[in-house]
Amino acid sequence: MPLEPNRREVMQRWFRKPGAIQPPGNPQITQQAHVLNRATFGADAWSRARIATLGWQAWLDEQLSPDSIDDSAMTIALAAMPPTNNQRNRARREYLFRCARSRRQLQHRMLHFLSNHFNTDIAKTSGVTEVYDTTNYTRLAFANFFEVLLWSAKSPAMVVYLDSQTSLPASPNENYARELMELHTLGVYGGFSEADVSAAAKIFTGWRVQSGPPTVSGNEPSSARFAFLSLRHVQGPKTLAALGFSTPGYAGSAGVREGEELLDFLAEHPSTHALLSMKLCQYFVADAPPAGLVQRVQQVFATTRNLGQTVRAIFYDSEFFTPQTTREKAMDSIESMLNVVRRLEVNVSNANTLATLSNLLGQPALGESSPTGTPETSAAWQGPGQVLPRWNALAAEVGGSLPVSWNTLLGSSPPQGAVAVTDFFLNLLVDADVPPATRMALTFFFANRLAPLGSNPSSAVLQPHYRDFVGLILRLPEAQLH
Amino acid sequence: MTCKCNHENAGDAEKPGMDRRTALKVSLAAVGAAALAPRLPAEAIVRPRMPASRLPGRATVVVFERGGWDALQLFAPTGDANYALKRPTTAIGAPGSGAAVTGLAMNSLFSMHPSMPGLHSLWTQPASRLAVVHALGYTPYHRSHFESQDLFETGQFGVVNADGWINRHLQATTGISTAPVRALALMNSLPRSMDGVFPCFAFSSLESLQFQATQPDLRAYLETIVDYTPTVGLSAARAGSYAGMKSTFDLIDMFSGINPATYVPQNGAVYPNTAMGSSFEQTAMILRGNLGVEFIQIDQGGWDHHADLFANIPTYAGALNGALSAFVQDMGADMADVAVLCMSEFGREVSENGSNGTDHGVGGAMMIAGGSVLGGQVHGAWPGLATSALAEGRFLAPANDFRQVILELLMDHMGGTVPSTVFPSMTYAPLGVF
């Protein structure tokens, strides 16, 4: 639907004015806003207030000690969800709800990273094992990498997803062995050979899941629990010649140690340190993170092997907050949805909505089918295939299945007039980080909405216009970045 | 992904948005008048074209079968004595052999998977336009999904960030078309084959190509902002966000004339109600829309069957069979202008594993339909399944290079290309598929 010609012309003239466009390259946002963009799924009121009180460094250190943060509001809200008998649905909605509502945001940013790095597809696995996965990658968010790797190898979801479950000694299944080295640790050029894949496949024979009695601890599913079946294990010595790893082979139940030792070896390998450091820097900093930063981070990772220390090094690095890194990451589709939920303080009373929206956006939660997981780079999330569902599904849901309490959001003294309202929502939704001409166009939009409403329109009269305005801002190019 | 193709970056501020719209409409009108007169570079080799039919030009549909399909199940070498020996549990039997699962006769050596009866009837009909190239691959081979998919989609070995083969062909033939969209993928992200400097596009479906908003003025404001904000000098992610949105508006406009709700397949074709059925039906709509689209890619995932072939393969083979059969029927005589290539990143290991599945292998197969394909034949050399003939004693040897089939497609069916641009270092040696 075209604008009236004169209005369009007015808008176009703004974009041609000298000074309407700021030269690129200056950070438009504060360090606190930048830290919140990368360490949370979007700045909500609580995290804004908290970081303002503590300063970004103390705030970050608090986030790195998640158990010190009271998260009872989230757990109470989760417990109050309408029940579901569908375990897959439960796993998906809990994953999204925790990411949306936990105050332990950085821990959940790591959950998002790790569950993608060690991707399993809920269509092939099961709801209970994915809940177990989510619980453990949250628990291990800042752990030593070997611990995480060891857990992933024995995760019932992983054992099923990469076919260790059906591997037999006579003809071992290579699926897990290959992706372990190619995707989880060394990388495709990380130094392993095809013969190494075959040898590693033998090492992981007998790694199974089976049912057992229920336990009281954690969420461990009694129907699918890791077990080492020595009768299904290839006996004798194995050698990964290209990598320089060998094991004499252990008899009986000790055979599981062969795999554990290989995982330890892989966790210690420089190729693994390089791969994980780079991927974490891409996730938290930029698609092409500064080389010096990557080098320093890799040094910390190789020295400590610890994810918490490594993440801390990323945020504390002198090149983390620069003109080249702010708003230089496109959000993936789940991140973009959670960003809307958090910045608008959406009251998600039924988290099924989030799972359904993730489907509509083309990134079904826990449902990526390829073992690579989804890409960490921006370009993969910026094409029409991503833009359209965000424009159509996400913005349309604001005020619908994503209810917004405008009165709460705008506070007791709401902004008056088009300029103040524009500033308010730009600050809330994109850290005020848009070109001046865009700000003018938006102001013009809202002024045109206000004009027919007379003076002092009631809040009820204004709400549909707020909704449209927020829908417009959320569709901006800048609103897809964080 | 929007390619590396901000087709409108420099001088954005001085370039009014309506000009972009107008230019688009002009070029669309030109395409409507069949503007595909070949103007190939001098070094290109141009083959004579088939007699013209109702489509404005030739088109290719690529179906990438992701996961590594088991070519030894789909096109089973039932006449090779080593086949059943190496797959005691999961071999497809020859027709009438009394095996648990028997195939459909292709010739004395091969049988087609029984879940593909529609494709089999295309195979057996007179003047068949359905062919298979078996023992297909490349050397030195890779057995990683991601590495091998990259190599299949770029055809460039040892080159980091190479452009895809479709993209390079489009670069080599910029003169022959003014169509704003020469290649598109019906999926969320651009496949590697189309990635590169030539603008290519991806979107999930025609239905998705609509701007929906609570109020109509939203689009006008957003479009003005996106069109007029200069992106010169912006960082990559910011510029990418603008470029992606410009492409989105372009695509919405360009395909607005095609209404999926009113499309009626021809010749009594009925598309199955599956993802593949929908993708093929949308492909037919786009080709019949006469917009000058030359390449459409639609992928089928899920072929990584490390376990239980008999339970898993029928689902995927059946989905492909139903959708491709309906497409061929729908296109009817126009199939002379359309070639469909179904390819996968590798075949599976010749011997089955202990899970009644198969692990990653090497030599696979490509299935080609339509165009002037010499069908009802398995093309290329067949190295056989004797252990001595296998790569490393385990894998079907990649006797036939997939790039030769693609080159033949481009040279013959698509009217010509510049081989040295598409596959540098290849010597063109067609297998005679077309």
Side-chain angles (χ1 to χ4, degrees), chain B residues 205-247:
Chain B
S205 70
L206 289 165
E207 288 86 349
S208 75
L209 276 184
Q210 289 176 34
F211 187 89
Q212 296 160 2
T214 45
Q215 295 297 322
D217 54 349
L218 293 192
R219 173 174 173 172
Y221 274 89
L222 182 64
E223 195 165 1
T224 306
I225 290 169
V226 168
D227 278 352
Y228 281 87
T229 302
T231 52
V232 180
L234 282 191
S235 63
R238 285 186 198 242
S241 201
Y242 279 91
M245 290 191 179
K246 285 178 191 178
S247 296

Side-chain angles (χ1 to χ4, degrees), chain A residues 118-457:
Chain A
F118 297 107
N119 184 52
T120 55
D121 178 2
I122 197 166
K124 182 168 176 177
T125 62
S126 68
V128 283
T129 57
E130 291 290 343
V131 170
Y132 192 40
D133 244 28
T134 303
T135 308
N136 278 282
Y137 288 127
T138 308
R139 176 178 65 84
L140 296 165
F142 304 126
N144 284 322
F145 181 68
F146 170 65
E147 251 188 281
V148 187
L149 184 66
L150 181 63
W151 192 83
S152 74
K154 295 181 177 179
S155 146
M158 185 66 80
V159 168
V160 169
Y161 177 63
L162 291 181
D163 296 311
S164 298
Q165 180 66 359
T166 57
S167 190
L168 285 174
S171 43
N173 193 306
E174 295 183 348
N175 206 8
Y176 177 68
R178 178 184 304 279
E179 308 310 4
L180 166 67
M181 294 193 278
E182 178 175 329
L183 300 176
H184 300 168
T185 57
L186 304 170
V188 65
Y189 296 117
F192 66 94
S193 70
E194 289 295 328
D196 289 355
V197 171
S198 299
K202 289 179 187 153
I203 286 176
F204 288 106
T205 47
W207 286 48
R208 298 292 185 95
V209 294
Q210 57 182 28
S211 57
T215 58
V216 287
S217 68
N219 281 306
E220 188 181 14
S222 58
S223 58
R225 173 174 305 173
F226 178 77
F228 177 72
L229 305 187
S230 56
L231 285 175
R232 298 286 187 219
H233 184 66
V234 176
Q235 304 296 318
K238 291 116 190 156
T239 300
L240 280 65
L243 283 175
F245 174 88
S246 62
T247 171
Y250 305 111
S253 62
V256 72
R257 271 172 48 206
E258 298 167 17
E260 291 167 352
E261 286 171 8
L262 175 58
L263 291 168
D264 188 37
F265 173 87
L266 293 172
E268 296 289 310
H269 199 283
S271 296
T272 302
H273 301 158
L275 183 121
L276 263 295
S277 304
M278 183 64 183
K279 204 169 167 184
L280 280 165
C281 289
Q282 285 192 317
Y283 182 66
F284 284 116
V285 185
D287 293 349
L293 178 146
V294 177
Q295 200 179 8
R296 290 185 290 274
V297 167
Q298 189 174 332
Q299 182 67 32
V300 172
F301 186 75
T303 316
T304 67
R305 274 82 161 161
N306 179 274
L307 291 173
Q309 295 287 330
T310 306
V311 170
R312 188 175 191 276
I314 291 173
F315 280 84
Y316 272 75
D317 194 275
S318 58
E319 291 189 273
F320 171 73
F321 176 61
T322 70
Q324 289 74 41
T325 57
T326 56
R327 209 168 294 285
E328 185 51 19
K329 284 294 294 180
M331 287 179 262
D332 71 27
S333 296
I334 284 176
E335 289 170 341
S336 78
M337 171 179 77
L338 297 174
N339 183 56
V340 171
V341 166
R342 288 177 55 79
R343 287 184 186 253
L344 288 171
E345 309 289 337
V346 170
N347 176 23
V348 181
S349 55
N350 186 345
N352 292 354
T353 306
L354 300 180
T356 307
L357 258 179
S358 78
N359 296 347
L360 286 175
L361 292 170
Q363 192 187 7
L366 305 175
E368 169 60 33
S369 63
S370 162
T372 45
T374 53
E376 300 295 356
T377 47
S378 296
W381 303 100
Q382 294 181 316
Q386 282 74 37
V387 168
L388 274 162
R390 285 191 202 183
W391 277 354
N392 293 341
L394 200 50
E397 299 305 329
V398 170
S401 68
L402 299 180
V404 177
S405 169
W406 299 103
N407 291 340
T408 311
L409 198 64
L410 293 153
S412 51
S413 52
Q416 300 294 324
V419 172
V421 170
T422 303
D423 282 351
F424 176 84
F425 281 117
L426 281 178
N427 189 48
L428 184 75
L429 297 173
V430 289
D431 311 315
D433 186 14
V434 297
T438 300
R439 179 185 299 268
M440 282 192 280
L442 294 170
T443 311
F444 195 58
F445 173 91
F446 203 72
N448 276 299
R449 288 302 187 91
L450 284 179
L453 303 182
S455 58
N456 296 320

Side-chain angles (χ1 to χ4, degrees), chain B residues 92-305:
Chain B
I92 300 281
S97 65
V101 179
T102 54
L104 309 167
M106 296 170 73
N107 58 28
S108 60
L109 185 52
F110 294 100
S111 303
M112 197 177 281
H113 195 281
S115 299
M116 304 199 291
L119 298 178
H120 184 256
S121 71
L122 292 177
W123 178 272
T124 53
Q125 73 186 25
S128 170
R129 295 278 184 245
L130 184 76
V132 166
V133 181
H134 220 308
L136 175 118
Y138 59 88
T139 46
Y141 54 79
H142 283 260
R143 291 191 293 130
S144 146
H145 292 295
F146 319 108
E147 190 68 11
S148 199
Q149 286 178 20
D150 259 18
L151 293 174
F152 256 86
E153 293 193 83
T154 62
Q156 286 265 65
F157 298 174
V159 180
V160 179
N161 290 329
D163 290 350
W165 67 265
I166 293 175
N167 201 289
R168 289 205 308 279
H169 166 72
L170 297 173
Q171 293 168 35
T173 58
T174 48
I176 70 160
S177 171
T178 55
V181 176
R182 294 180 66 192
L184 64 86
L186 287 171
M187 56 192 80
N188 280 327
S189 299
L190 203 64
R192 190 68 197 272
S193 61
M194 293 186 181
D195 195 15
V197 297
F198 196 93
C200 301
F201 304 89
F203 54 87
S204 58
S205 70
L206 289 165
E207 288 86 349
S208 75
L209 276 184
Q210 289 176 34
F211 187 89
Q212 296 160 2
T214 45
Q215 295 297 322
D217 54 349
L218 293 192
R219 173 174 173 172
Y221 274 89
L222 182 64
E223 195 165 1
T224 306
I225 290 169
V226 168
D227 278 352
Y228 281 87
T229 302
T231 52
V232 180
L234 282 191
S235 63
R238 285 186 198 242
S241 201
Y242 279 91
M245 290 191 179
K246 285 178 191 178
S247 296
T248 306
F249 280 125
D250 286 348
L251 292 173
I252 290 172
D253 287 352
M254 190 174 316
F255 291 94
S256 61
I258 302 176
N259 183 354
T262 60
Y263 181 76
V264 180
Q266 298 182 13
N267 310 312
V270 177
Y271 287 92
N273 186 20
T274 60
M276 282 304 280
S278 166
S279 293
F280 267 107
E281 184 171 14
Q282 302 235 330
T283 299
M285 292 178 208
I286 292 165
L287 293 178
R288 291 208 188 286
N290 286 356
L291 297 169
V293 177
E294 295 164 70
F295 291 87
I296 297 176
Q297 184 160 334
I298 51 177
D299 287 1
Q300 182 181 22
W303 288 100
D304 193 17
H305 298 129

